[in-house]
């Protein structure tokens, strides 16, 4: 096979001249520093080339998001121990905005341990899903099998091991400001079955579909495809 030279051109995101600024407070109107603030373009508008921005609040709670082009934006608190007490309406940027006030509270913390044959097992991740949040929350399982999810909003969650259906999920109701320890999982092993498909004359059969079904509630079905 031959090779061809390929030229790749990278384009920097468009930078604008507008700024969005404001303050982050708690419910008692005290400044909250070091809160990550993110604005993203609202994708259902015609402003397809609009870029987002991110920053952190300062010691006095102030924040400023720079270099925004005109367009519609949503504003979020992300990767933080804090959550917004109420969602912020989308903002339309066509000039500098200095009046944004965000009220936050400490989110919930959910933690536990994942074990396999009574030993810590850190191969997979933890995912928590709720109908109240647009995105699932993820946590890494450490080498000692422990995990921790921080900054969770209130809601009813389904917590499970990501991409590992053999272990049943857990349902838990969470309220902000509280800690929920000892949400533990014991990984059940998945066994691999290997064999050969042949006809009545013992000739190998290629491209056969082999289906394995279990009666356990943990699986609805499990399919194995292969070509002997």
């Amino acid at each position: 096979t031959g090779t061809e030279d390929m030229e790749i051109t990278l384009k920097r995101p468009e930078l604008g001249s507008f700024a969005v600024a404001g303050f982050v407070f708690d419910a008692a109107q005290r400044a909250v520093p070091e809160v990550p603030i993110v604005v993203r373009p609202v994708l259902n508008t015609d402003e397809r080339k609009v870029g987002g921005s991110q920053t952190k609040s300062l010691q006095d709670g102030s924040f400023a998001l720079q270099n925004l082009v005109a367009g519609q934006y949503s504003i979020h608190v992300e990767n933080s121990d804090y959550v917004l007490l109420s969602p912020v309406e989308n903002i339309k940027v066509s000039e500098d905005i200095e009046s944004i006030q965000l009220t936050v509270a400490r989110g919930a913390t959910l933690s536990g341990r994942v074990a396999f044959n009574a030993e810590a097992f850190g191969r997979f991740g933890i995912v928590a899903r709720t109908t109240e949040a647009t995105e699932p929350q993820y946590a890494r399982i450490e080498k000692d099998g422990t995990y921790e999810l921080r900054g969770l909003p209130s809601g009813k969650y389904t917590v499970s091991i990501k991409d590992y259906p053999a272990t049943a999920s857990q349902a838990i109701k969470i309220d902000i400001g509280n800690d929920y320890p000892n949400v533990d999982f014991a990984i059940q092993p998945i066994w691999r079955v290997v064999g050969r498909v042949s006809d009545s004359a013992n000739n190998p059969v290629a491209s056969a579909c082999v289906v394995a079904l279990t009666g356990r509630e943990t699986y609805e079905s499990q399919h194995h495809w292969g070509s002997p």
Side-chain angles (χ1 to χ4, degrees):
T1 59
T3 59
E4 295 182 1
D5 292 335
M6 180 180 295
E7 182 176 323
I8 299 176
T9 302
L10 300 178
K11 185 178 180 181
R12 291 181 180 273
E14 182 180 352
L15 297 179
S17 59
F18 300 120
V20 171
F23 288 87
V24 181
F25 297 112
D26 63 14
Q29 291 295 299
R30 295 172 296 199
V32 184
E34 295 295 317
V35 176
I37 311 296
V38 179
V39 292
R40 292 196 181 93
V42 178
L43 297 180
N44 60 356
T45 70
D46 294 331
E47 301 289 345
R48 301 296 181 182
K49 295 183 180 180
V50 172
S53 183
Q54 59 185 3
T55 189
K56 285 186 177 181
S57 57
L58 302 179
Q59 288 299 316
D60 62 353
S62 65
F63 68 91
L65 297 146
Q66 307 286 348
N67 301 323
L68 298 175
V69 300
Q72 290 273 352
Y73 291 87
S74 58
I75 187 166
H76 311 270
V77 170
E78 295 187 352
N79 301 319
S80 170
D81 291 347
Y82 292 91
V83 295
L84 287 171
L85 282 181
S86 58
V88 179
E89 294 184 0
N90 292 340
I91 53 178
K92 183 177 181 180
V93 175
S94 57
E95 60 182 4
D96 290 343
I97 299 176
E98 300 179 353
S99 58
I100 301 296
Q101 179 171 323
L102 304 179
T103 305
V104 299
R106 187 179 76 84
T109 298
L110 186 148
S111 60
R113 186 172 182 268
V114 179
F116 175 67
N117 290 343
E119 295 182 0
F121 192 82
R123 177 181 173 185
F124 298 92
I126 295 292
V127 57
R129 294 183 172 89
T130 176
T131 56
E132 286 82 1
T134 56
E135 296 291 338
Q137 308 289 320
Y138 296 96
R140 175 183 175 182
I141 301 174
E142 303 298 335
K143 291 182 179 180
D144 63 355
T146 59
Y147 75 90
E148 186 176 63
L149 286 158
R150 304 177 67 89
L152 294 176
S154 298
K156 295 180 179 179
Y157 286 80
T158 300
V159 187
S160 60
I161 300 177
K162 186 176 183 296
D163 299 327
Y164 202 91
T167 300
S169 61
Q170 299 188 43
I172 183 169
K173 185 179 183 297
I174 284 176
D175 292 312
I176 60 172
N178 294 326
D179 296 329
Y180 298 85
N182 303 321
V183 182
D184 300 331
F185 294 88
I187 285 184
Q188 303 298 321
I190 293 180
W191 304 106
R192 182 185 180 196
V193 178
V194 179
R196 181 175 181 270
V197 179
S198 58
D199 60 16
S200 58
N202 204 31
N203 297 314
V205 177
S207 300
C209 172
V210 179
V211 179
L213 300 175
T214 85
R216 291 180 177 270
E217 294 179 355
T218 51
Y219 287 133
E220 291 183 359
S221 65
Q222 182 178 352
H223 302 281
H224 299 277
W225 299 77
S227 298

